Amino acid sequence: DGQPESDATNIRNSTLSCDATQTAPHQKMSTTSTTFAEIIARESIGLEQALSMLRLEFQKLTDGTNDHTTDTGSMVDPDDAIFGSTVAPHDLDMTLLRYLKVARSTLSKHNKNSTPKLVSLALQRLLSTLQYRREYDVLSMHAPGAARKILHHDTNPGACLYAADAGLVDKRGNPALIGRLGLMIAEDAEQHEPIVPANHLRAILFAFERLAASLKLSEGREKAWYILDCSIDRKTAPDLYDNVDPRPRFWSKFGRLAVDGLTMKGWNDADATQNNPNRRIPGVLPHLPYHTTITPGFPVLREALRQLTEYYPNMMEKVYFVRAPFSFRAVLKVFSLMVDRESAARFVVVPWGKEADILGEIFHERDLPVEFGGSNNTILGRDDFLRVAEERYEEQALFMSNHPQRDGTPMDGLSRATIRSRFHDETAGVSSTKEEAISIGGGTLISGEGVEMMNFRWERSTSERSWCYHPKPRIREAAPN
């Protein structure tokens, strides 16, 4: 919470790792297995019995020996980046503790001291999370090239991602997600682009997922932060309205969006759905069914918040809202009513002019963006942080795919992630090579019958598709799979 480091916390900063054989691009510090046990003991005070019980229940889910099974017998994908078989036991314990802490905050006074009831509530949320992770296929988000496809509008039109992990860490090495809300909702801004809710939600959940998977005690990443710049109007975000940066938005660097039915108010799909119930929104798949019917604006923000608190509970130590218009306080009150008390207590509106005082307790001034009260003028910008984040995401994915696991076996999970990602491309009618998908230096435009991931124009009268880009980039056939 920005308080001085305790002796217990300093333990993990004073030792070197004895079990990490490779250094990931985001690794900052390490600890020993002995220290891991001490951290777990500190975090589980009052929850020791509940953690032991939840461990057993989770093992049953993994073994497929409980009542909740899938066609493969297990609720847990062995390659899952947060719950899978390659996740270190202490990291899994930290995740289970997050579920227990949220469950504890929702217990009634009558059940406060009931460990079985506490475990039952945590298990219900855990089951919901595992089902979501399968349906949403979060494994494919870890494939090399996933960041490039999800962030950019030539492959994920209307994603309008406004938050990402650009490498900002606190004084202890814990990561922080940073974002600019105005990039998504400043509809009068010169370079605003319409949002497609289903694509946007997959993009923001990609950022949450990759952040959650990066929390590893062996790398000193115990918790995460979220700093959201809420400046959205001409007074608070003049750079989005006046003297606008002439460069295309980062997400449009490979082509601007021109899709029939996609307006400044978002994806107008109601009429088209009535005419053709099987019509799919173009973008990186899969989409959750109810995401295709969400309207832009507040419903999208509400759904993103629900997914963050429901499927990544207690991941954020604090969520800081900075440079927020006065009206945003009313919005935050509504948000706080939609989540559990444990999550709501983590929302903090930073008063204007107090950014350095509050955030400076947690982050070094040299690392903190100038917009947030620090002296770093290179990390945020209009949307420069998205470029930095994309490069980091791809570095991490390529690193994991090119290095064996600690026991020397291949990274089967990353191989499966790539397979899953390519499967969704093929389902959407996209033909591309992995080299094209991970390309950052140039655009990839793939043509072919049945393309759904690209910008297309839907002719309602004839039910035929044609493709339209603005400006029109170079078109070339992709190499066969």
Side-chain angles (χ1 to χ4, degrees):
D1 293 344
Q3 300 301 317
E5 295 176 306
S6 64
D7 291 339
T9 306
N10 279 323
I11 292 174
R12 71 181 176 90
N13 294 343
S14 62
T15 54
L16 295 176
S17 173
C18 62
D19 60 349
T21 58
Q22 303 289 346
T23 301
H26 58 254
Q27 184 169 337
K28 295 293 183 182
M29 61 186 73
S30 304
T31 54
T32 65
S33 296
T34 301
T35 305
F36 300 154
E38 294 179 4
I39 294 174
I40 298 298
R42 180 195 71 205
E43 293 295 320
S44 62
I45 293 175
L47 294 171
E48 295 87 352
Q49 183 182 2
L51 178 59
S52 296
M53 293 173 64
L54 189 58
R55 279 194 196 117
L56 292 175
E57 293 300 324
F58 180 80
Q59 191 59 50
K60 293 177 184 178
L61 293 174
T62 302
D63 297 338
T65 56
N66 66 346
D67 296 333
H68 306 278
T69 59
T70 65
D71 52 359
T72 60
S74 173
M75 281 288 292
V76 183
D77 189 323
D79 297 320
D80 192 292
I82 298 175
F83 296 100
S85 58
T86 61
V87 175
H90 44 263
D91 291 328
L92 179 59
D93 276 353
M94 290 292 286
T95 298
L96 296 180
L97 281 168
R98 294 183 186 110
Y99 281 79
L100 287 169
K101 289 178 179 179
V102 169
R104 182 173 57 185
S105 72
T106 62
L107 281 175
S108 64
K109 292 183 179 180
H110 177 72
N111 294 313
K112 274 295 183 186
N113 297 320
S114 173
T115 299
K117 178 65 75 172
L118 172 62
V119 174
S120 177
L121 280 176
L123 183 60
Q124 288 177 24
R125 188 184 293 253
L126 188 57
L127 286 167
S128 175
T129 299
L130 294 172
Q131 181 178 357
Y132 149 80
R133 295 179 71 78
R134 282 183 171 273
E135 291 179 357
Y136 215 29
D137 199 357
V138 297
L139 178 62
S140 64
M141 295 179 177
H142 295 271
R148 184 261 179 264
K149 289 188 294 184
I150 289 176
L151 267 64
H152 290 282
H153 285 188
D154 65 330
T155 45
N156 203 30
C160 298
L161 181 63
Y162 62 84
D165 179 3
L168 176 64
V169 296
D170 67 13
K171 295 176 180 179
R172 306 174 190 177
N174 293 301
L177 206 67
I178 59 175
R180 292 200 68 183
L181 191 59
L183 291 175
M184 182 183 75
I185 65 177
E187 294 195 2
D188 294 329
E190 179 179 325
Q191 294 186 341
H192 173 74
E193 292 187 30
I195 179 176
V196 178
N199 294 344
H200 169 71
L201 288 167
R202 186 158 188 85
I204 195 67
L205 266 294
F206 165 84
F208 292 156
E209 168 66 18
R210 294 292 290 265
L211 184 69
S214 75
L215 298 182
K216 299 177 181 179
L217 294 185
S218 62
E219 297 172 8
R221 299 164 73 89
E222 182 179 334
K223 58 188 177 184
W225 309 89
Y226 187 5
I227 310 175
L228 181 60
D229 179 356
C230 300
S231 56
I232 58 176
D233 53 28
R234 179 169 268 103
K235 180 179 179 180
T236 57
D239 64 316
L240 296 179
Y241 297 86
D242 305 314
N243 300 317
V244 176
D245 188 329
R247 297 174 302 167
R249 289 278 177 94
F250 170 74
W251 52 47
S252 302
K253 62 183 293 185
F254 298 140
R256 302 269 305 184
L257 193 61
V259 183
D260 185 37
L262 186 58
T263 70
M264 292 298 282
K265 294 185 179 298
W267 179 252
N268 296 332
D269 204 38
D271 293 339
T273 299
Q274 292 177 2
N275 296 332
N276 183 2
N278 296 320
R279 182 188 187 199
R280 289 182 306 190
I281 293 175
V284 177
L285 302 179
H287 293 146
L288 295 179
Y290 54 92
H291 283 180
T292 63
T293 60
I294 294 178
T295 56
F298 184 77
V300 176
L301 293 174
R302 179 175 58 194
E303 173 61 10
L305 178 65
R306 184 196 70 81
Q307 290 184 275
L308 170 62
T309 56
E310 179 72 17
Y311 305 131
Y312 301 92
N314 268 22
M315 176 176 70
M316 304 295 185
E317 182 70 10
K318 290 289 183 183
V319 178
Y320 290 106
F321 301 98
V322 302
R323 303 203 297 180
F326 184 77
S327 59
F328 187 80
R329 294 178 182 273
V331 175
L332 183 59
K333 287 183 179 179
V334 176
F335 282 169
S336 298
L337 295 175
M338 295 188 301
V339 300
D340 56 86
R341 285 177 293 176
E342 180 83 7
S343 298
R346 298 171 185 270
F347 296 163
V348 179
V349 175
V350 179
W352 280 78
K354 296 293 184 181
E355 295 88 354
D357 295 338
I358 295 176
L359 299 178
E361 289 290 322
I362 304 165
F363 301 91
H364 290 295
E365 179 187 357
R366 64 176 182 272
D367 298 329
L368 198 63
V370 293
E371 297 87 348
F372 299 160
S375 59
N376 189 329
N377 60 4
T378 62
I379 192 173
L380 189 64
R382 181 195 64 182
D383 55 5
D384 293 332
F385 68 97
L386 294 175
R387 172 186 55 79
V388 176
E390 180 189 26
E391 293 172 354
R392 284 173 47 79
Y393 289 140
E394 294 301 349
E395 276 184 23
Q396 293 164 10
L398 290 171
F399 173 87
M400 296 302 292
S401 64
N402 291 331
H403 289 80
Q405 299 176 97
R406 290 175 179 171
D407 61 3
T409 58
M411 292 295 295
D412 293 335
L414 265 294
S415 299
R416 280 197 59 227
T418 300
I419 292 171
R420 297 300 303 166
S421 180
R422 291 179 65 80
F423 167 78
H424 294 307
D425 293 351
E426 293 169 4
T427 300
V430 172
S431 174
S432 68
T433 65
K434 184 173 72 172
E435 289 70 26
E436 286 174 320
I438 66 176
S439 167
I440 294 178
T444 60
L445 179 62
I446 302 133
S447 61
E449 181 64 28
V451 171
E452 294 276 352
M453 279 181 68
M454 315 314 290
N455 303 338
F456 68 87
R457 188 179 303 281
W458 183 271
E459 304 294 344
R460 295 177 185 172
S461 59
T462 61
S463 297
E464 294 179 353
R465 301 182 186 90
S466 62
W467 293 265
C468 178
Y469 272 76
H470 176 72
K472 185 176 181 181
R474 178 171 58 95
I475 299 177
R476 58 185 172 83
E477 279 294 326
N481 286 329

